[in-house]
Amino acid sequence: MSQKSPVDNPPFAGERMSDTGLDADYNLLVDLLDGAIGLDDITDIHPADFSDQFEQLTPEQRERLITGAPQIISPDILSYLEDEVVEDILPLLPSDQLAQAISELDNDDATQIIEEMEDEQREEILGALPSADRAQLEASLKFEDETIGRLMQREFVASPEFWTVGSTIDHMRATGEDLPEIFFNVYVVDPTFKPLGYVNLSRLMRAPRAMLLSELMEPLLAKIPQEMDQEEAAYLFQKYSLISAPVVDASGRLVGMMTVDDIIEIIQTENTEDILALAGVSDAGLTDTAATVFKARAPWLFVNLLTAILASIVIAQFDYAINQIVALAVLMPIVASMGGNAGTQALTVAVRALSERDLTPQNAWRAVRREAVAALLIGIVFAVALAIIAYVWFGDTRLAGVAFVAMIINHVFAGLAGILVPLGLKRFGADPAVSSSVFVTTVTDVIGFFSFLGFAAMVLL
Amino acid sequence: MSQKSPVDNPPFAGERMSDTGLDADYNLLVDLLDGAIGLDDITDIHPADFSDQFEQLTPEQRERLITGAPQIISPDILSYLEDEVVEDILPLLPSDQLAQAISELDNDDATQIIEEMEDEQREEILGALPSADRAQLEASLKFEDETIGRLMQREFVASPEFWTVGSTIDHMRATGEDLPEIFFNVYVVDPTFKPLGYVNLSRLMRAPRAMLLSELMEPLLAKIPQEMDQEEAAYLFQKYSLISAPVVDASGRLVGMMTVDDIIEIIQTENTEDILALAGVSDAGLTDTAATVFKARAPWLFVNLLTAILASIVIAQFDYAINQIVALAVLMPIVASMGGNAGTQALTVAVRALSERDLTPQNAWRAVRREAVAALLIGIVFAVALAIIAYVWFGDTRLAGVAFVAMIINHVFAGLAGILVPLGLKRFGADPAVSSSVFVTTVTDVIGFFSFLGFAAMVLL
């Protein structure tokens, strides 16, 4: 989604915003469905607020609303709605309204809507568009999902380096309509349309009219290839505090631009993916039914069942020990649980550091060493605590000793697994957030039970 | 950090970037320390790249580098470095260099550096500044950490509504130096300096020179109070796809602006806080020593020790049952582990939905109901699985039945705790990411062990 055009009938949004923005405790669209207010009462809602409220409705409420008045879904609202909601409502919208919306929106927003359509509807809508618009959209759709070619805006402003400030401004005034809705930089290009630098509008505007763009331009900090993954592009924006960046094709020619507002969406999507992956959830949305929740969560729970059985098999090897000393069954979950949590802590820190690129091949060895030392330190402290508890509870020095040793061992394994597993996954090209948790908790469960029960069998029996 | 000024000797960064940006597999600063290259060889590194490489050095390497050549830490580099690193190196930098850097940087960047100083150094540097700069910084420092008053930029561009496009542009050309380095919007103000609307530069530039700003301006989607928490402001930027927003004081007068590049930093900080909080880590940075790692992780591990003991006490109540049927000790961790993971899944989804404001008082009840249905579904599926495993393993129908029932009960409690705990914490004004995990895993451990062992004692003995 690129910077939005203003609403057609812009209200002064200040007052209303505090109601519908931060403290959303009522929903105008529900009032509308109830007949308490009319269509006229919602014309001055900002598309972003409308979208938020619309997303809060049940699928049935959405259908009723659209069937009654499809025109309330303006082009801007479509670009603000979450992809899953767009996918749901597209079949409900009249084709002519959709074709109109697609041709009004900037290319990047239009692409996001087109890609949610069923093949048949997409063909119909593309066929109804002016051929220039269609060609642009088809060019975007040729790129993989989550690549810049798919996400970028194909409208941008470029000028040759021998133009002056004055001629550039005059040219923009004359072009008017065909420029992007909003832009921040003018890209300076060579005769083969390769970008040479950029001029921020706030500098262009301050510069003397006679100044050449080649004198005013600043170097480009990033030229983004069309094939680049969105995550890499987001990293470049963050790193260099970019507001917009030129996108180039394989021969280095300028073909589009990315702007920071789209990047924020990408950053949030990637963050959500990471945070959910760490908890073993493959996908989540508020439009989910219980069945899709099941599909998103069952796979990792299934893997966890297998690893829990593995841990149980370890316990079963020592059933004779538990049979003689039931205190072992009482204490063993503490060792496993502490290890599991310590491992998860180390893992989460490592995954975050990898995604922020603070943890690199350069400093990995130092990070592993520090993790090992910290784990030993943590292990000793909590081993002492557990030993005291075991002694006070069961009055058995040797049992306390077993708990002490097992706790230290499990913490060290937990810390090492917490950092080595994500580093290893990354090395082999896998996403460290996705499957690390399973590996790490398997290690801490198995090592936790094995070391505690194994030592107990050796020492106490 | 606001949009950076270009490097003083800007290289064409394209080539170098691919080496030092995305694929950081070597460090020029290490070469510099080794004497393999000289100071001249690093002058064309972008401050963002320099900062990344500098952060990778050990504290000893950093000290050696700065002691040898303090001037390599340019003002821009200071604004790119992570806060903890800035804090570490400030005592190493000469006062006159620091005072110079502070007065060169935009107000928001300067504030971030000043706030990392020890009191004594801060007094010295503030005393060395021109009084206007000092007053601005002192005004920012009066606001709480993580509020907009502390973070905003106090340089901005505002014009009265009766000005024309032409006079506004001419005024900007004449003012030159005193404008912010980079800006995107001109704020239109009334005679009491209250913001009325904004004009994006790309629109200002295209409009006829005679047009009044009052005709061209667009409504403000957000006016940010100085006291607002950074997280709320970040939400407004995301929601309305803002590039910059005006900041107002208690009487509604324009006092500063926030720009989107600062917001990206805030978003990443908040995401990191959430992701770490869910894993029970209070803070993390690559500059941490093992001791600070201990401090960041031990508190939650201590709480976990207490809850694990609680679970053990539950187990201990049924030691006579375990004594008679050791299979209980073998199977009980499976029930607890599955519940724990299912609870963490539900919790993570809920915490993310709360922070993205997709989960609101309006739809909370629906979300809870869906979570309960999903938990029941998941519980039944895995209860069947566990029952089969228990039967195959131990050949005991009644044991399988006990496992079946306990698994369903624990999954339902896990799902409900996963959503109700963060909703409850949020309702009482606490951060749902911070302590939810403890509550949820306590519930799943205690319920898991209690239901499994309790039913076993009732049915099997």
Side-chain angles (χ1 to χ4, degrees), chain B residues 67-390:
Chain B
T67 319
Q71 73 279 10
I72 62 172
I73 307 294
S74 71
D76 280 333
I77 289 172
L78 278 176
S79 70
Y80 273 107
L81 284 172
E82 283 177 21
D83 290 349
E84 307 93 69
V85 179
V86 170
E87 193 182 349
D88 282 354
I89 65 169
L90 280 172
L92 304 172
L93 293 168
S95 292
D96 54 340
Q97 181 182 341
L98 273 179
Q100 177 70 22
I102 295 293
S103 74
E104 261 180 46
L105 289 168
D106 272 342
N107 172 268
D108 54 341
D109 292 331
T111 305
Q112 287 200 308
I113 294 163
I114 285 274
E115 68 187 5
E116 298 301 331
M117 293 180 182
E118 298 291 332
D119 289 348
E120 198 180 329
Q121 190 177 30
R122 185 184 299 141
E123 293 305 317
E124 185 186 347
I125 302 292
L126 283 174
L129 292 178
S131 61
D133 288 0
R134 187 172 60 235
Q136 269 200 341
L137 286 173
E138 282 171 348
S140 296
L141 290 170
K142 254 188 245 146
F143 287 91
E144 300 258 337
D145 207 17
E146 309 208 332
T147 62
I148 294 307
R150 181 72 81 91
L151 296 161
M152 70 182 180
Q153 197 170 346
R154 287 169 189 274
E155 301 94 354
F156 54 85
V157 181
S159 297
E161 54 180 332
F162 54 81
W163 277 24
T164 62
V165 168
S167 59
T168 305
I169 295 180
D170 293 344
H171 178 76
M172 285 195 281
R173 268 215 191 100
T175 316
E177 278 298 294
D178 284 347
L179 297 178
E181 277 283 325
I182 299 280
F183 58 97
F184 313 103
N185 296 325
V186 173
Y187 297 114
V188 182
V189 292
D190 75 6
T192 65
F193 226 70
K194 287 182 184 148
L196 297 170
Y198 76 98
V199 179
N200 181 273
L201 291 187
S202 65
R203 288 175 194 275
L204 185 71
M205 201 160 274
R206 270 178 281 180
R209 276 186 65 89
M211 197 171 188
L212 286 174
L213 292 188
S214 57
E215 297 171 68
L216 188 61
M217 75 180 181
E218 295 169 47
L220 291 166
L221 295 173
K223 288 182 289 188
I224 301 182
Q226 295 181 93
E227 295 76 19
M228 187 180 264
D229 185 82
Q230 60 177 14
E231 197 173 356
E232 305 265 286
Y235 173 71
L236 289 174
F237 268 76
Q238 278 178 260
K239 172 165 181 159
Y240 296 110
S241 298
L242 302 177
I243 297 296
S244 83
V247 180
V248 294
D249 67 12
S251 61
R253 289 184 325 121
L254 182 62
V255 289
M257 69 172 177
M258 281 299 289
T259 50
V260 68
D261 49 324
D262 299 281
I263 293 293
I264 287 192
E265 272 191 59
I266 293 170
I267 289 175
Q268 283 302 70
T269 306
E270 299 287 342
N271 275 315
T272 300
E273 274 177 24
D274 275 7
I275 212 166
L276 294 180
L278 278 170
V281 181
S282 66
D283 187 28
L286 264 206
T287 55
D288 291 345
T289 60
T292 54
V293 170
F294 180 83
K295 263 196 290 186
R297 302 191 196 169
W300 197 74
L301 288 174
F302 179 73
V303 176
N304 184 64
L305 181 62
L306 298 184
T307 70
I309 291 169
L310 194 64
S312 293
I313 292 173
V314 172
I315 297 172
Q317 306 313 305
F318 300 100
D319 55 358
Y320 62 99
I322 293 172
N323 235 334
Q324 291 179 51
I325 309 164
V326 77
L328 295 179
V330 173
L331 293 179
M332 68 183 188
I334 301 183
V335 177
S337 156
M338 291 297 286
N341 279 296
T344 302
Q345 289 182 327
L347 166 66
T348 306
V349 171
V351 164
R352 190 65 185 165
L354 280 171
S355 85
E356 301 245 286
R357 307 197 193 209
D358 289 334
L359 182 56
T360 64
Q362 276 180 61
N363 63 6
W365 172 233
R366 212 186 324 149
V368 171
R369 224 169 33 198
R370 196 190 48 209
E371 202 58 65
V373 174
L376 190 63
L377 187 63
I378 291 170
I380 291 172
V381 169
F382 287 101
V384 169
L386 184 63
I388 292 171
I389 290 161

Side-chain angles (χ1 to χ4, degrees), chain A residues 256-429:
Chain A
M257 69 171 177
M258 281 299 289
T259 50
V260 68
D261 50 323
D262 299 281
I263 294 293
I264 287 190
E265 273 191 57
I266 293 170
I267 288 174
Q268 283 302 71
T269 307
E270 300 285 343
N271 276 314
T272 301
E273 275 176 24
D274 276 6
I275 212 167
L276 293 179
L278 277 171
V281 181
S282 66
D283 187 29
L286 264 205
T287 55
D288 291 347
T289 59
T292 54
V293 170
F294 180 83
K295 263 195 288 185
R297 302 191 195 170
W300 196 75
L301 288 174
F302 179 71
V303 176
N304 183 63
L305 181 62
L306 298 184
T307 69
I309 291 169
L310 194 64
S312 292
I313 291 173
V314 172
I315 298 172
Q317 306 313 305
F318 300 99
D319 54 359
Y320 63 98
I322 294 173
N323 236 333
Q324 291 179 51
I325 309 163
V326 77
L328 295 178
V330 172
L331 293 178
M332 68 183 187
I334 301 182
V335 177
S337 157
M338 290 298 286
N341 279 296
T344 302
Q345 289 181 327
L347 167 65
T348 306
V349 170
V351 165
R352 191 64 184 164
L354 281 170
S355 85
E356 301 247 282
R357 308 197 192 209
D358 289 334
L359 182 55
T360 64
Q362 276 179 61
N363 62 7
W365 172 232
R366 213 187 322 151
V368 171
R369 224 170 33 198
R370 195 191 49 210
E371 203 57 67
V373 174
L376 190 63
L377 187 63
I378 291 170
I380 291 172
V381 169
F382 287 102
V384 170
L386 184 62
I388 293 171
I389 290 162
Y391 180 74
V392 170
W393 197 341
F394 298 101
D396 183 335
T397 328
R398 288 187 308 160
L399 180 65
V402 166
F404 178 82
V405 174
M407 194 77 145
I408 293 178
I409 290 176
N410 204 22
H411 268 283
V412 171
F413 272 91
L416 288 176
I419 188 159
L420 291 176
V421 167
L423 277 175
L425 286 171
K426 176 90 179 177
R427 167 74 64 94
F428 292 112

Side-chain angles (χ1 to χ4, degrees), chain B residues 14-28:
Chain B
E15 297 309 308
R16 167 138 283 166
M17 199 187 57
S18 65
D19 296 337
T20 58
L22 285 175
D23 313 304
D25 53 0
Y26 72 90
N27 192 327
L28 282 171

Side-chain angles (χ1 to χ4, degrees), chain A residues 41-56:
Chain A
D41 297 312
I42 61 155
T43 45
D44 62 350
I45 308 182
H46 188 273
D49 290 310
F50 184 103
S51 305
D52 279 0
Q53 299 193 14
F54 190 78
E55 284 165 1
Q56 301 273 329

